[in-house]
Amino acid sequence: MLEARSIHHRFRPDVPLLRDVSLHVAPGEVVGLEGASGSGKTTLARLLAGHLVPDRGRVTIDGTALPQAGFRPVQYVPQTPVLAMNPRWRIGRVLRESHQPDSAARSALGVDPAWDRRFPHELSGGQLQRVALLRSLAPGTRYLVADEITSALDPVAQALIWTALLRLSRERGIGILAISHEPALLDRVALRRITLR
């Protein structure tokens, strides 16, 4: 179980962004997270993945704190994947940074092996998001924090990516926190929803 317990976080001493936020995601469960712009959704996502440390409260997996070094079992997938990739690396190296993806996951997400020879700027937004998801699905991944991962894509690309991701989640027992401004999307993919105020 991925849990956030009474999380508090602020970037400025006089302005708390997150106050006493608690949530949990079970293995294989998809939980939707919604909230207005500026409510702290991305900050919470980064806290859950260990990219930030809360001022107060804890993030745990099965009651144990997240590891501070090495591979993290909670993977954060950003809205703009190109910003999370080295622009000087070809896609094959970007993928191998975390693991050597298997052909079944490649096929499910529609990541063409021919893309391995290209640079990130040579792929479309939808193609890059598939690469980012494939990279995040390393063997040790237990949870994904998907931060508006299909918001910039057309409905067909959204459907293809979410269909593949949900199938892989079921097969591998990976829990997902799906962050979105689109209630219709969360209605379709999430078992339950949380609103951040």
Side-chain angles (χ1 to χ4, degrees), residues 121-181:
H121 71 272
E122 296 177 312
L123 299 182
S124 71
Q127 290 170 331
L128 275 179
Q129 196 58 275
R130 292 172 192 202
V131 169
L133 286 166
L134 183 60
R135 180 174 67 170
S136 71
L137 292 169
T141 299
R142 296 182 57 197
Y143 297 92
L144 282 181
V145 180
D147 190 1
E148 299 270 3
I149 61 170
T150 57
S151 63
L153 307 180
D154 64 75
V156 172
Q158 283 189 13
L160 289 172
I161 286 175
W162 275 107
T163 298
L165 187 54
L166 294 174
R167 190 177 81 207
L168 288 167
S169 168
R170 284 192 301 272
E171 289 173 357
R172 300 184 182 191
I174 295 173
I176 299 174
L177 182 68
I179 301 172
S180 180
H181 283 291

Side-chain angles (χ1 to χ4, degrees), residues 2-163:
L2 172 64
E3 290 186 89
R5 301 177 187 172
S6 300
I7 294 293
H8 292 254
H9 195 74
R10 63 182 71 211
F11 290 109
R12 292 183 4 215
D14 57 328
V15 184
L17 178 59
L18 298 172
R19 285 183 290 193
D20 200 30
V21 175
S22 296
L23 62 81
H24 67 275
V25 181
E29 181 183 31
V30 180
V31 177
L33 178 66
E34 58 189 352
S37 294
S39 62
K41 297 185 302 297
T42 293
T43 299
L44 179 59
R46 293 173 60 80
L47 287 162
L48 290 170
H51 294 197
L52 296 172
V53 178
D55 296 331
R56 289 199 339 243
R58 293 185 70 205
V59 177
T60 61
I61 293 181
D62 299 333
T64 303
L66 292 178
Q68 295 301 305
F71 182 81
R72 292 190 176 126
V74 182
Q75 291 290 301
Y76 173 69
V77 184
Q79 179 178 2
T80 310
V82 71
L83 300 178
M85 297 180 190
N86 189 326
R88 296 180 180 178
W89 288 4
R90 295 181 190 275
I91 294 300
R93 185 175 178 188
V94 168
L95 289 170
R96 289 190 305 274
E97 182 181 22
S98 67
H99 70 296
Q100 183 64 51
D102 61 69
S103 58
R106 268 188 185 269
S107 177
L109 288 168
V111 176
D112 190 329
W115 298 352
D116 285 9
R117 297 185 297 275
R118 297 185 186 174
F119 290 97
H121 71 272
E122 296 177 312
L123 299 182
S124 71
Q127 290 170 331
L128 275 179
Q129 196 58 275
R130 292 172 192 202
V131 169
L133 286 166
L134 183 60
R135 180 174 67 170
S136 71
L137 292 169
T141 299
R142 296 182 57 197
Y143 297 92
L144 282 181
V145 180
D147 190 1
E148 299 270 3
I149 61 170
T150 57
S151 63
L153 307 180
D154 64 75
V156 172
Q158 283 189 13
L160 289 172
I161 286 175
W162 275 107
T163 298

Side-chain angles (χ1 to χ4, degrees), residues 150 158 162 179-180 182-190:
T150 57
Q158 283 189 13
W162 275 107
I179 301 172
S180 180
E182 301 177 40
L185 173 65
L186 294 180
D187 284 343
R188 293 183 69 88
V189 304

